[in-house]
Amino acid sequence: MGRVSSRLPSTPPPAAAPGTPGAPGGDPVRTGLRVAVQALAAVVAGYVAMGVTAALGLWAAGAADLPGGFAAVLAAVVVMAAGGQVEITGSAGAFAGTEGELTAMPLTVTLVGALVTGAVFLRPLRHHAVARAGDHAARAGAVVALWLAVLAGLCAVARHDFPLTLGVGDSQEPLADLFGELLDATDPTVGFRTVVGATLGYGLLWILGVLLVALLVSRRSALPARVLRYQEAVRPAASAMLLLLLAYVAVGLVIGLVVAATKGHAAETFAVLLLGLPNVSWLALGVGIGGSWEGTVEGPFGLPMPQILDAVLRGGDGSGLSTVDLSSLAAEDGRAWWLLPIAAVLVLAAAFVAAVRSPARVRPWQHALHVGVAFALTMLAVAPLTLVEARFGLSILGIGDLAALGGEVVLRPDVWRTVGLALLWGLVAGFLGGLLATRTRHHGQLPSEDSEDSEDSEDSEVSEG
């Protein structure tokens, strides 16, 4: 007898429990209170996860020794991870000035916060097949309001000034002793402040994006009935893209742990892992598919980054920015060519996962479109997050920067080149993944059994039907 493979029988969506959103006759007060408590749990869990991750990373980086500013630095890192904007401030007297700029996201903290917040937000929705759009709006609105309230509180904490005492050459004489009488300059200070308006604006976009992505990638959470027909095209590809990004982070974590165990400088390595691991991992994904970044590193300081990347950024001829791509990295270290086959394997694996999780009626060319669009949108969201711009300088009478203090780090993605290549890679990988999945059990199918007893049982069930 031949094998029998059938669709899972359709069942009506489970009714919502009394008192939950969408349940007929539920108590509005109890429902509202439950929504508020669940929203508070999501916000608290997200911020606590971000705070713990940032604190461990700063501790590994030595920030615990800062003079009275650890709490402010911690708050600033969490604000930046949530999309906020922090500006550098400074002062060096009437005739001397400091200036600085910092644009960067500690993406390890961002990723941890997004995963925890999204998971707690989705938890109450996992028992329902369908939810009303108004219920989702109420839940999301409560989370957004509480998230922005906490973010505003962190803005008030994330401000501090640090004194800078510098020597010239081998001298440890403070700058004020050298220039104070002539220029009325005092010991220079450098500090940071949050830009409250921009922080709340970007923070709103951040939390809305987290909640939207959480609903897109979840395969078990309820959706409004009007959008259920789109989930077969969106959710498998979206969840596969999340797995791709997490796979790159996992590979980077393994490499980082090996480096920490074998190359020394364990504390610095753990600081990078706890603060900026996705910054490097997702850059490696973009470079592996042919994308490019441009930037430079000048002066005595830089950001924590792999030595090969620092070498490329410092290798410019002084007339412009250095290009970071597969060829420039391979020129410094031939092992960089491994980024290409790693990208090919992991992107194809993600496309295969998306195909297996899709209904069997979806054709390979449709998988190609789904994965191509999903991968392009993923890189459109991820590539800008790797932007780094950090500058600091101190000038006397506006004449130049002191070499001991001036410096610049810039790393900008070529977004549209990377997104275009991601679209092409996604189309090819999606088509191949769809072909590979044609003989694999798909979502919504019953498994086929090889044993004769199973075949007899299936035949009996079909006869009885």
Side-chain angles (χ1 to χ4, degrees):
M1 304 292 287
R3 297 181 181 177
V4 176
S5 178
S6 61
R7 296 270 170 206
L8 288 173
S10 60
T11 57
T20 60
D27 185 351
V29 176
R30 292 183 60 185
T31 299
L33 181 61
R34 180 178 290 105
V35 168
V37 171
Q38 292 168 350
L40 180 62
V43 172
V44 170
Y47 273 116
V48 168
M50 295 170 77
V52 171
T53 305
L56 292 175
L58 291 172
W59 175 78
D65 298 330
L66 292 173
F70 183 79
V73 173
L74 175 59
V77 171
V78 173
V79 166
M80 294 168 64
Q85 184 174 343
V86 175
E87 63 179 1
I88 304 297
T89 61
S91 174
F95 296 97
T98 59
E99 58 182 5
E101 176 185 352
L102 176 61
T103 302
M105 287 187 73
L107 287 181
T108 302
V109 183
T110 300
L111 179 62
V112 170
L115 291 175
V116 173
T117 303
V120 179
F121 171 73
L122 292 175
R123 184 175 177 81
L125 303 176
R126 70 190 190 280
H127 296 304
H128 311 293
V130 180
R132 294 182 301 181
D135 298 333
H136 280 305
R139 290 180 179 276
V143 171
V144 169
L146 291 172
W147 187 270
L148 293 181
V150 176
L151 189 60
L154 289 175
C155 288
V157 179
R159 53 174 57 231
H160 196 73
D161 293 312
F162 299 98
L164 293 178
T165 302
L166 301 172
V168 178
D170 294 331
S171 173
Q172 298 301 315
E173 193 173 4
L175 186 66
D177 294 342
L178 295 175
F179 299 102
E181 296 182 2
L182 179 62
L183 301 176
D184 189 28
T186 58
D187 284 337
T189 62
V190 62
F192 55 88
R193 304 285 187 274
T194 55
V195 184
V196 178
T199 293
L200 294 180
Y202 289 126
L204 173 62
L205 295 177
W206 189 92
I207 187 61
L208 288 176
V210 168
L211 299 182
L212 176 61
V213 171
L215 287 172
L216 289 178
V217 302
S218 174
R219 295 186 295 150
R220 297 183 179 180
S221 299
L223 288 176
R226 293 182 178 180
V227 300
L228 281 176
R229 57 181 175 176
Y230 300 111
Q231 68 176 345
E232 291 182 351
V234 174
R235 277 185 160 175
S239 62
M241 291 302 103
L242 176 61
L243 289 177
L244 175 63
L245 295 179
L246 294 179
Y248 262 87
V249 172
V251 171
L253 177 61
V254 171
I255 294 174
L257 293 176
V258 172
V259 169
T262 60
K263 303 294 185 180
H265 306 288
E268 291 85 349
T269 303
F270 278 109
V272 175
L273 296 179
L274 290 165
L275 295 175
L277 176 58
N279 299 68
V280 178
S281 298
W282 296 342
L283 183 146
L285 168 60
V287 170
I289 64 173
S292 67
W293 275 247
E294 62 178 13
T296 185
V297 174
E298 298 177 358
F301 74 92
L303 294 178
M305 60 183 65
Q307 183 177 2
I308 179 176
L309 181 57
D310 185 78
V312 171
L313 293 176
R314 291 183 184 273
D317 56 9
S319 61
L321 301 176
S322 301
T323 299
V324 178
D325 56 16
L326 199 55
S327 61
S328 64
L329 292 175
E332 293 289 336
D333 189 335
R335 291 174 295 181
W337 287 114
W338 280 102
L339 294 176
L340 178 59
I342 290 173
V345 170
L346 292 182
V347 172
L348 180 58
F352 176 77
V353 170
V356 170
R357 290 180 174 179
S358 300
R361 65 177 176 273
V362 179
R363 299 292 179 255
W365 67 268
Q366 293 173 305
H367 284 300
L369 291 176
H370 297 167
V371 176
V373 172
F375 194 20
L377 291 176
T378 298
M379 295 310 298
L380 181 61
V382 165
L385 298 181
T386 63
L387 171 69
V388 175
E389 290 186 353
R391 298 180 180 88
F392 181 79
L394 186 146
S395 61
I396 303 297
L397 292 174
I399 304 174
D401 291 333
L402 294 182
L405 276 180
E408 179 181 31
V409 179
V410 176
L411 183 63
R412 300 192 191 103
D414 186 342
V415 174
W416 297 114
R417 170 180 170 177
T418 305
V419 169
L421 289 168
L423 176 61
L424 294 177
W425 274 69
L427 291 172
V428 175
F431 186 79
L432 295 176
L435 291 178
L436 292 173
T438 53
R439 297 184 179 276
T440 306
R441 182 167 61 95
H442 288 245
H443 172 71
Q445 285 183 310
L446 292 173
S448 299
E449 300 290 345
D450 291 330
S451 66
E452 192 150 334
D453 292 339
S454 297
E455 291 177 352
D456 294 341
S457 175
E458 290 169 348
D459 292 339
S460 175
E461 293 175 1
V462 171
S463 299
E464 292 174 0

